[in-house]
Amino acid sequence: MELNSIGVVLDMFFKYTWNNFLHTQVEICIALILANPLESTENGTITDQDSIGDNLLLKHLFLKCQLVEQILEAWEMNEKKQAEGGRRHGYMGHLTRIANCIVHSTDTGPNSALVQQLIKELPDDVRERWETFCTNFLGETNKRNTVDLVTTCHIHSSSDDEIGFKETGFSQDSSLQQAFSDYQMQQMTSNFIDQFGFSNEKFADQDDIGKTCTDHRRSDGGLKNLIVTAES
């Protein structure tokens, strides 16, 4: 707090738009501060979760570093930039999770009472913007980020589309089907590799390849023979 380390890394979070490693570390720091339970200064025991204790680092995060204000400003700046055809800021995913972490800490976190108090102490306009943001923008973003892995939507057949698929012209000859069935039923014998595999002579060792290249370099064809050998 004396060095304002949290404030510095938070400023870097927004300055370096595409440094996702930095964004991840700042997100973890904020989450740890929000989730850190209060401790008594006398014996080190954890106090009740509903107690509004003297959590100096959490107060520093909201009051000195102005975490809520910076989230709102960055979000509005990104919306404006995208509306003008610009690219989405690289930290928006991390910023969404930080905002959700604050909302969660306000409702059920170990410092919920203190976070609620800090939100109430925000300027009236900031508090109203934050409430609107959580209800509208953050809620819509969470819905968009929710992906249903299993869907029950009706799958249209090709006849429902404007452009259908023609039937394939595969032969329905029964003799061909029977021949393929007989092929599948064949058992693999010891002659299979000899018939369908490759013999060792097909592959040359690295030493043989190097020798072959050297021999071709020494021949009258020179580079031309070497190129033909490589292509073959």
Side-chain angles (χ1 to χ4, degrees):
M1 288 176 52
E2 293 178 356
L3 298 176
N4 192 30
S5 300
I6 302 300
V8 171
V9 297
L10 193 58
D11 291 339
M12 294 171 63
F13 179 93
F14 297 106
K15 180 178 180 180
Y16 298 100
T17 309
W18 304 107
N19 193 329
N20 290 143
F21 177 80
L22 171 64
H23 303 155
T24 301
Q25 301 306 315
V26 176
E27 178 188 339
I28 293 173
C29 290
I30 295 175
L32 289 174
I33 294 174
L34 291 170
N36 186 34
L38 301 178
E39 294 185 0
S40 173
T41 56
E42 297 180 358
N43 52 15
T45 58
I46 298 176
T47 60
D48 295 336
Q49 293 183 357
D50 294 334
S51 174
I52 304 179
D54 194 20
N55 194 327
L56 299 179
L57 190 57
L58 186 57
K59 291 181 179 180
H60 176 79
L61 182 63
F62 278 85
L63 301 179
K64 177 68 175 179
C65 301
Q66 297 182 336
L67 176 62
V68 173
E69 289 89 338
Q70 294 206 55
I71 292 176
L72 294 174
E73 292 176 3
W75 197 282
E76 294 170 356
M77 185 184 303
N78 178 76
E79 292 291 328
K80 181 180 179 181
K81 183 177 181 180
Q82 285 192 290
E84 296 174 352
R87 297 180 62 183
R88 182 174 182 263
H89 288 161
Y91 53 68
M92 291 305 297
H94 299 276
L95 196 66
T96 301
R97 286 192 291 269
I98 292 174
N100 284 322
C101 190
I102 296 175
V103 174
H104 174 75
S105 299
T106 305
D107 297 334
T108 60
N111 299 302
S112 59
L114 179 56
V115 175
Q116 292 175 12
Q117 182 64 32
L118 293 172
I119 296 294
K120 292 180 181 179
E121 293 178 0
L122 293 173
D124 294 339
D125 59 330
V126 176
R127 187 174 65 255
E128 292 176 0
R129 288 168 56 198
W130 174 253
E131 293 174 355
T132 303
F133 164 77
C134 294
T135 304
N136 298 331
F137 298 101
L138 185 60
E140 294 175 0
T141 301
N142 291 333
K143 289 181 181 179
R144 289 197 303 266
N145 292 339
T146 302
V147 179
D148 295 331
L149 298 180
V150 179
T151 179
T152 57
C153 296
H154 174 65
I155 301 177
H156 297 281
S157 64
S158 59
S159 61
D160 297 332
D161 301 329
E162 295 181 358
I163 302 177
F165 295 95
K166 297 180 179 180
E167 294 183 0
T168 57
F170 294 132
S171 174
Q172 301 296 327
D173 190 354
S174 59
S175 61
L176 294 178
Q177 295 181 1
Q178 184 62 39
F180 181 70
S181 299
D182 295 341
Y183 166 76
Q184 289 181 309
M185 295 299 294
Q186 289 180 356
Q187 294 183 356
M188 183 179 294
T189 63
S190 59
N191 297 328
F192 179 81
I193 299 178
D194 296 335
Q195 296 175 359
F196 298 98
F198 295 95
S199 61
N200 293 333
E201 289 75 9
K202 296 290 183 179
F203 301 96
D205 295 335
Q206 294 296 327
D207 296 338
D208 296 336
I209 295 175
K211 182 179 179 181
T212 303
C213 294
T214 304
D215 294 341
H216 280 289
R217 290 192 188 96
R218 294 174 180 175
S219 64
D220 296 336
L223 181 60
K224 180 178 179 181
N225 290 335
L226 179 61
I227 295 177
V228 171
T229 303
E231 291 179 349
S232 62

